[in-house]
Structures are given as C-alpha cells and as structure tokens.
Amino acid sequence: MAAPADFLSYVDTHKDQFIQRLAEAVEIPSISGDPDRRDDVVRMAKYLDSQLQAYGVETKPVDLGPHIMDGHHLQLPPAILGRIGNDPSKKTVLIYGHFDVQPAELSDGWSYPPFKLTHDEKTGRLYGRGSSDDKGPVLGWVNVLEAHHALQTPLPVNLRFCFEGMEESGSDGLDKLILEEVKKGKESWFDGVDCVCISDNYWLNTRTPALTYGLRGITYYKLVIAGPAKDLHSGVFGRMVHEPMTDLIALMSKLVDPQGNILVPGVDAMVPPADAEETALYTNLDYSIDDVEVSAGAKIALSDDKASVLMGRMRSPSLSLHGIEGAFYGAGAKTVIPAKVAGKFSIRLVPPQTPENVDPLVIKYLEEEFKKLGSKNTFSVESLHGGKPWVENHKHWSYEAARRATEAIYKQTPDYTREGGSIPVTLTFAEALGVNVLLLPMGRGDDGAHSTNEKLDISNYIEGTKLLGTYLYEVAAGTKA
Amino acid sequence: MAAPADFLSYVDTHKDQFIQRLAEAVEIPSISGDPDRRDDVVRMAKYLDSQLQAYGVETKPVDLGPHIMDGHHLQLPPAILGRIGNDPSKKTVLIYGHFDVQPAELSDGWSYPPFKLTHDEKTGRLYGRGSSDDKGPVLGWVNVLEAHHALQTPLPVNLRFCFEGMEESGSDGLDKLILEEVKKGKESWFDGVDCVCISDNYWLNTRTPALTYGLRGITYYKLVIAGPAKDLHSGVFGRMVHEPMTDLIALMSKLVDPQGNILVPGVDAMVPPADAEETALYTNLDYSIDDVEVSAGAKIALSDDKASVLMGRMRSPSLSLHGIEGAFYGAGAKTVIPAKVAGKFSIRLVPPQTPENVDPLVIKYLEEEFKKLGSKNTFSVESLHGGKPWVENHKHWSYEAARRATEAIYKQTPDYTREGGSIPVTLTFAEALGVNVLLLPMGRGDDGAHSTNEKLDISNYIEGTKLLGTYLYEVAAGTKA
C-alpha cells in the first residue's frame, strides 16, 4: 500500500515549516551530559510533548527519578510515552527516539553556532547540534503526524511512542521504565505492539538508504598491574625493580595484532566464517575502501578487499586498546616509574559471543600470560561493563515494509547493514517485547553525529519524513499480505 | 691533617644556633618551579648572600637574565658566586649547592607544615622542605665559615662558591654562567680551582656515609604512531583500520623485558660485564635487598642477589616505559581509538654509552620493528633530551681526603656509590674546569628529598658540618702529601 499522494505532497509543500520546527528544537540546547543544561533537556521534553499533543497523540511524561552526575544530585529528565490509534484491525508500531544531544561549543571548531540551525543554501544542508542525532528523525515522526492531522487522514497503523532525554548519557532510567511498563500487561502503553522502529543511526555512505539489522555488543576491560607503593624515580630505581609499565605493555601487546586479529585464543574462533552467500551481502553493499578512508581521514584500511573490511566492522569481533590510567600522559619528558597502571581495552562482540562466554577466555589468557612474565608485581583484570550483540531477522515483514518504502521514496534498494557500535535500548526492546526491531536511519554517513558541524541534508529530512510515513503504510499493507 | 679540636667543639656547642639558621632558611619557600614564589627564591638568595658576607666571603650575585615559565615572563633568580682566601700555597676548592626547593603543600600529605622547621625530639629529625635538599648542606658550609670566623682561624684551603636558585627547575642559566666564567681566565672567579665538591645527594642507606663517584646519563624518547585524522569510535572503526595504539604497544613491548634486560640490540652489550674486583665493590656496600624493597614499598627487586641489584642501578643502563601521550588516560571506560599516540621511554646511560652512540641503535631498531608490523600508520621517533653519564676517579686525592674525613668523623669507611640518576651540573663542572668532582652527601637515603615529610637528621646536620670542615683540612693535608 503506497502512501497517499496528498501525504507526500503535504510534506513537499510544508518543507519550510518542517525546517522551522527543526530550528526551534535545535535552539534548545538539551545536553543531557551537562548538569547546567538539565533545565533545557526538560524544556525540550515539554516542547516535544506539546507537539505530539497538538496532533492528537495522548502523552504521558514519566518521572525517572533522581540520579547523580559529576557529583551533582539531579532529577532525570522525563521520558515521554505517547499513543494514538487503538484499532485492533491495524498493526501497532512502537517508535523510539531521543531528544537530548551531545555537548557542543563553537570553540570546539564549529563553523556555525551549534544551537542555531544554519541552512547552507549551496549544499542544501542544515547545520546544528542534534539536527541528525536525533532531533531530525524524531521531528520526522511529528511531521508525519502533522500531515495526517491536517489532512484529516487516519493513520494506517496504531502508533506508540517512547522518547527519552538521556540517550547521550547512558539512557539512565530507560531500561527500568521499559521493563516496568511491559509488566503492566493490558494496562501497558506498550500493550499490543507488533514491531519497533528506531530511527537513530545513519546510512553507511552518503548515497544509499540503509536498513540496519545488527549491532555489536561490547565487553570492556581494566587490566591492572601494581608494584611499588608510590611512583618511583627511574634514575634511582631503574633496573632494580620490576616496573609495572613493562609488564602491562607486555600483556597488552599479546591481545591484538596490527592486522586486527584477536590473539586471545578462542575469541575469533567463536564466530563461524562467512559463506559465499553471506560474503556476497557485503560485496553488494554500496561502499568502497575509499569511503572508510575518507571517514577515517587516512589511508589506513586493514585490507583492499571491501567485503573483508566491511565484515571486520559488521560481523567480526574487534579488540581496541584505548589507553592507560596511572601512567605519565602529559606533554614533555617525565622520568617516572608509575606505581600502578591500568590498561583499558574492549572487545566488540558478535553472535554467538556474549560478555559471559568471552570474559572467561580473556581473563584466563591474561592470567597465564602474566605468569609467564616472571614478575613480582601484582596482576588483576576485570570487566567494567558489557552488553550483548543484537542481530535481527531482516526478512521480517517490518523490514520488508521498510524496503518497499525505501524503494518507493528513494527509487533505490536499501543497503542491509550491521553497525559496529551499540544502541543498548535496541536489545532491551527486542528482549522485553519479544518483537522485531527495525533500525531505519534518516541521515547520511557523513552527518558527524557526535562531532563538530553536525548536519542533516534537507533532502534526507524531507524524503526521510516521507520514508517514515510510507513505512507505516507498507507495514499496514504487510498486514493484509 | 685532622680538623682542629676547637672547630669540632664549636660545631657541637653551636648546634642550636645552626638549627636556628636552618629554620630561618626553611621558612623562605624558595620554590623555583612556582612563578608566584619567585620573589621568595630571590629573598633566599639575599639571605644566603648576607650569611656568606657576614663570615668574610666576598660575593657577587649574577643576573642570569629572563626566562619563560608556564607562560609567565620572569627574571631568573640570581646565582651567588663567592670567594674567600687567595693563598697560592693552598688548594682551592669550589663548592656548589642550591638554595631553591621542590614544591610542597600540607595537603600533599605532610605531617608537618613544610615551610616551618619541625624538630621531632623523639627521633632527632628536622622536618621541612629543603632541610636535606639542599639547604642543610649549603648551610653546613656556612656553619663551617662561621666557626672559622668566630675562632679567627684561617681556612685550610681557598674556597670558591657557586650557589644557584634554579636547580629544581632544570638549572636554567647555570651552564651558561659556568662556561662564561671559565672563559674569563685569570679574571674568573673559578680561576685556580683544584677540585669541586658538591653536597647534594644522599647516603645509599640510613647507616653508612657515602662518597659518590658516578651518575648515569639519560636519553629520553618520544615514539609517535599516527593514523586517522581524528579520534575514532571503536564501534564504528574497530577492525576496519590500523589502530595506532596497537602498533605503539607492539613496539613498546619490544624495548625491555620484565627482568629489566634492554632488548634493543647492542645497548646492553656496550657495557662490559663487571669483573670479580668490581663486583666485590658492590658486594661490600652496606646495602641489602630489604633496603631497596623498603624504599620501593614492595617486594619487587629484580633479583635476590644484592650485587646484581646494585649494579642494575649504578653500573648498568636501564630502560623505563613512562607512559603514553594522546591515549585515553582517565578513569572509566571510554571507547576511543586514539588518532595519534606518543610512547615515552628513556634509557639511563653508563660509560661508554652516550646519547650520541645509543640513539642511532634505538632509532634503527624501532624503524625495523615498525616495518615488520605491516601497518599503514605513520611512525616517527625522536630523542627529547639527553645527557652523558659521569664517572669520576674515586682514588683521586679529593676522594682520599673525603674518605679520611669520613673515617675521622663517623668512624666508618664510606660506601663508594654511583647514583642511578643525574645531576647535570656535575658533568658541566667536570668538563668546563677539567678537575676532579666529588659528591659528598650530608643526608640519608630516607630523607625524602622530593617527597612529603622531607627531613634531615640532626646528627647528619651536625656531624655533616664537621665532615665538610674536616674534608677541607684533609684536602689541605693531601696537598702536602
């Protein structure tokens, strides 16, 4: 079922108003990670709440309680639940998004004021913090609601909304809200949800729309070597004592090789190699080695083979060494023997890996390697946090609906992608509701979500609004198929 | 020639006045590394200048010009040159010391106010910043001058003084002063100097006086691996690109093993092994594995063999890994792929090693090892600074004089030690003047020179004053021998 022509033309004719809506939202600096901006996050919640209500959505702000951030005792910004439509003959789609943003200062290197939406006429881009992550997509849904409200057209599905204001700061309180809401059964605002749609990631490139069906998990380690009671002078103690840094560097060097192979026995081996059919999925993605090197800013791809590089990100685990706590890190030349040093590294996980089955391999291996060093220093390793990977059935009717919607709006078959990073709420929804979750990105791979000069192309905002609306019609069509 | 009995008894009977002198000096917080304390360093210079003059020393404050510290444009504190005695039949001894101190705050963990001399009656210790490093030894010389002045006894040698106020901050301006002064020939305040005596280090332990005849040199490296144009997200880029941290850790792991052996080919090999006679020197030192482990605060000595551990510090090179600039160093769990990382490490040098003959070995080795990694990141390595090692002839008449003085005052044969660290001015004096340099420590190994609760035992201050005076008499005796 294609979207009605009057919906699509309403979106085109209201382009300026929709951009104005995004401008209003960007002007609210709803930085969840800055205690001084907490009032702005709450103001943004109210703004979104009033927009939803204006187009017929019943809403419920949910108090998520207090928390502590950087030593400040704060109230969490409310989550906004919403519902519109209760027709048992229609599918029910739950929409998730977030209205908080990453920090941004002009002095970080922005070419535009980050909290004022700047329309670059030449490039057709809208610059501003949150334009792409995630105010644009959230307001895309509001645009869809406005169009149907104005046209007095009933929505093709029942909609439920869950919008939060803490996504950029660990989604404090959200898992609890979801789990408690689900427990309410018939009274739950999530009752009867058939699928979840999240628009909070990006196309792989700048050309091809994407549907995302997988995310890597993570397990993050802290490896501690301690020796002397205090930092020592390398002139006085050098070659008299076992130095913790020597041991730590030796151990960290045994984790991953310069080609990205994980050296912890059994970890890479847990993931079966891709067969020809799966490899073809990656070969067929609209992506090039040049794309990765442009986004990294240097010619440092691990391979010249596109499928191999893409599989490295999407269907392989990866181990990154992030840094060392407790060692000298400043400029200049300090001649210290650090007393206690902690190496930080993490492994991105793919099925069937979980923190539970990977952590013991890593810990056992490091214990054995430490023993081999013959050092008198002390050793410990712990996992600081972890999260499971997520891979969805991308042949589900929700994905099929999204594919048809993409083909209708963009005249392109979407890339089916898996992301290398994590969006933890995805797994929470999948597990708590037991339904299919679709990641349906609006923005492009070069939007610079957490970086300076974040932008959303106007075409992505407007065609993306059409895509979201059309997806709902295709979901409805799928119901009848 | 023993020191006259009236000199020795003057020191004993004036103990309280000498402690009072140290108290006055400690109360001036002459922290050379703190721009806000520069006036106090100058005040300390004037205090010392007036003390020297009071006992008949002709002085000359030398303006060392301007410098920049932490962005502050400052005038360097003056150095104080001094001279007393011009008898061509006597030896001329040049004394070096410094009147600036390390920073100290009660909040660093001091049990006593750092800038008030606290006399602990129970332990016989004098607590205060600078008590041991280096105001105690400098005032030890002033005490010797006072005694001779009061007793109207001529000094047994001609004395020259060079006192500076920037030792704790890199001795800015001092090398230039020394080299320019030497060039003046007959007009030089250093003209006719027969030997140099520096009292600015410590006994090896808390029991045995020491004469120090060697210092290690140093060469300090910065090893840089750069890849992406900016920090990357490990979820997005992990296993797509060569990560600079992986390469850096691999290279740093190839520099030194956990037993302290330097893995750069040729570096350890430059130093011939000790023969039985030399090994015996270390075996005979009054020192134990327990001493090193008590001062390190943990049982982490590289060996159970005392001579081997002491040679590691005194006559072997050592390589220490100090840290990494550019990587994640905070608490917590940041999932960054750092774009550019710089490993900091240094090698302490012993003869015949110099920065000039060691640097090429290190650089060539790292270049070769980097090539083996097969990485597309970029590599560079540079030496940030370096200094040659120094080993003196410890059978010279100045050392013999110091040995006899030690035996006279302490009734002990001194330990002959080499220090693991550097006192760069030592080498400057040795090279510029071409005379023997003696390090004649006043304080003990547990004085905590750069640490909290710095102290000088009263016995070391008083017996040390006698030692310095007696050394001058023994030098004079040596002249006649």
Side-chain angles (χ1 to χ4, degrees), chain B residues 104-120 123 125-129 451-455:
Chain B
E105 301 273 355
L106 195 57
S107 60
D108 293 342
W110 283 71
S111 307
Y112 314 90
F115 294 104
K116 186 177 176 330
L117 194 73
T118 302
H119 178 181
D120 184 325
T123 59
R125 289 171 166 183
L126 301 167
Y127 288 93
R129 174 56 88 222
S451 188
T452 53
N453 298 327
E454 179 180 347
K455 61 87 180 166

Side-chain angles (χ1 to χ4, degrees), chain A residues 351-369:
Chain A
Q353 297 171 326
T354 62
E356 289 68 31
N357 62 28
V358 168
D359 288 354
L361 297 178
V362 172
I363 290 166
K364 178 163 172 283
Y365 173 67
L366 284 172
E367 283 170 350
E368 288 170 359
E369 291 299 319

Side-chain angles (χ1 to χ4, degrees), chain A residues 235 239 268 301 317 322 336 376 420, chain B residues 220 235 239 268 301 317 322 336 376 420:
Chain A
R239 210 151 185 170
D268 272 349
H322 306 299
V336 66
K376 294 180 184 165
Chain B
Y220 197 109
R239 211 152 184 170
D268 273 350
H322 306 299
V336 66
K376 295 180 185 165

Side-chain angles (χ1 to χ4, degrees), chain B residues 250-295:
Chain B
L251 292 181
M252 289 176 82
S253 77
K254 295 177 198 296
L255 292 167
V256 60
D257 75 16
Q259 280 62 47
N261 300 302
I262 298 177
L263 304 176
V264 181
V267 172
D268 273 350
M270 289 169 79
V271 183
D275 57 20
E277 185 189 345
E278 192 184 355
T279 304
L281 286 178
Y282 296 95
T283 308
N284 293 336
L285 288 177
D286 182 4
Y287 198 71
S288 70
I289 297 297
D290 209 42
D291 283 321
V292 67
E293 294 188 332
V294 164
S295 52

Side-chain angles (χ1 to χ4, degrees), chain B residues 386-413:
Chain B
K388 283 187 278 192
W390 166 80
V391 176
E392 189 53 276
N393 168 21
H394 61 279
K395 294 177 179 169
H396 185 270
W397 51 256
S398 177
Y399 279 80
E400 286 294 293
R403 178 184 57 76
R404 292 194 303 270
T406 303
E407 288 166 351
I409 300 302
Y410 285 106
K411 319 298 178 202
Q412 281 178 281
T413 301

Side-chain angles (χ1 to χ4, degrees), chain A residues 52-74:
Chain A
L52 293 168
Q53 288 188 42
Y55 305 118
V57 179
E58 180 191 358
T59 64
K60 182 169 82 165
V62 182
D63 179 1
L64 299 179
H67 77 141
I68 299 173
M69 172 178 278
D70 295 345
H72 298 259
H73 291 256
L74 298 167

Side-chain angles (χ1 to χ4, degrees), chain B residues 183-418:
Chain B
K183 274 194 207 148
K184 294 179 186 168
K186 284 284 166 198
E187 302 302 308
S188 166
W189 284 54
F190 300 152
D191 182 52
V193 164
D194 295 297
C195 66
V196 178
C197 179
I198 299 176
S199 186
D200 186 24
N201 67 312
Y202 314 94
W203 299 353
L204 192 55
N205 54 35
T206 60
R207 306 173 295 273
T208 319
L211 310 182
T212 302
Y213 65 101
L215 297 166
R216 290 198 285 195
I218 189 170
T219 176
Y220 197 109
Y221 300 96
K222 181 178 180 180
L223 166 59
V224 181
I225 307 288
K230 55 180 188 292
D231 287 359
L232 302 177
H233 189 286
S234 69
V236 179
F237 285 92
R239 211 152 184 170
M240 294 233 289
V241 297
H242 291 282
E243 300 188 14
M245 269 293 276
T246 305
D247 298 350
L248 180 68
I249 296 285
L251 292 181
M252 289 176 82
S253 77
K254 295 177 198 296
L255 292 167
V256 60
D257 75 16
Q259 280 62 47
N261 300 302
I262 298 177
L263 304 176
V264 181
V267 172
D268 273 350
M270 289 169 79
V271 183
D275 57 20
E277 185 189 345
E278 192 184 355
T279 304
L281 286 178
Y282 296 95
T283 308
N284 293 336
L285 288 177
D286 182 4
Y287 198 71
S288 70
I289 297 297
D290 209 42
D291 283 321
V292 67
E293 294 188 332
V294 164
S295 52
K299 296 198 167 296
I300 53 173
L302 283 171
S303 161
D304 295 333
D305 177 55
K306 180 180 97 175
S308 155
V309 169
L310 279 173
M311 286 194 281
R313 164 173 166 174
M314 297 184 180
R315 58 104 60 215
S316 299
S318 63
L319 192 155
S320 294
L321 307 173
H322 306 299
I324 296 173
E325 183 182 348
F328 173 50
Y329 60 82
K334 189 174 173 187
T335 54
V336 66
I337 296 174
K340 182 179 177 182
V341 285
K344 308 286 181 74
F345 66 98
S346 67
I347 304 180
R348 298 280 170 175
L349 305 174
V350 297
Q353 297 172 325
T354 62
E356 289 68 31
N357 62 28
V358 168
D359 289 354
L361 297 177
V362 172
I363 291 166
K364 176 163 173 284
Y365 173 67
L366 284 172
E367 283 170 350
E368 287 170 359
E369 291 299 319
F370 179 70
K371 272 182 206 150
K372 290 184 195 166
L373 298 184
S375 169
K376 295 180 185 165
N377 292 316
T378 64
F379 160 96
S380 70
V381 61
E382 61 173 321
S383 170
L384 294 184
H385 69 80
K388 283 187 278 192
W390 166 80
V391 176
E392 189 53 276
N393 168 21
H394 61 279
K395 294 177 179 169
H396 185 270
W397 51 256
S398 177
Y399 279 80
E400 286 294 293
R403 178 184 57 76
R404 292 194 303 270
T406 303
E407 288 166 351
I409 300 302
Y410 285 106
K411 319 298 178 202
Q412 281 178 281
T413 301
D415 277 344
Y416 284 80
T417 67
R418 289 166 62 174

Side-chain angles (χ1 to χ4, degrees), chain A residues 10 16 25 43 76 105 156 252 271 278 286 296 311 359 402 442:
Chain A
Y10 185 96
D16 292 346
R43 188 152 61 93
L76 285 163
E105 301 273 355
M252 290 177 83
V271 183
E278 192 184 354
D286 182 5
M311 287 195 281
D359 288 354
M442 173 181 274

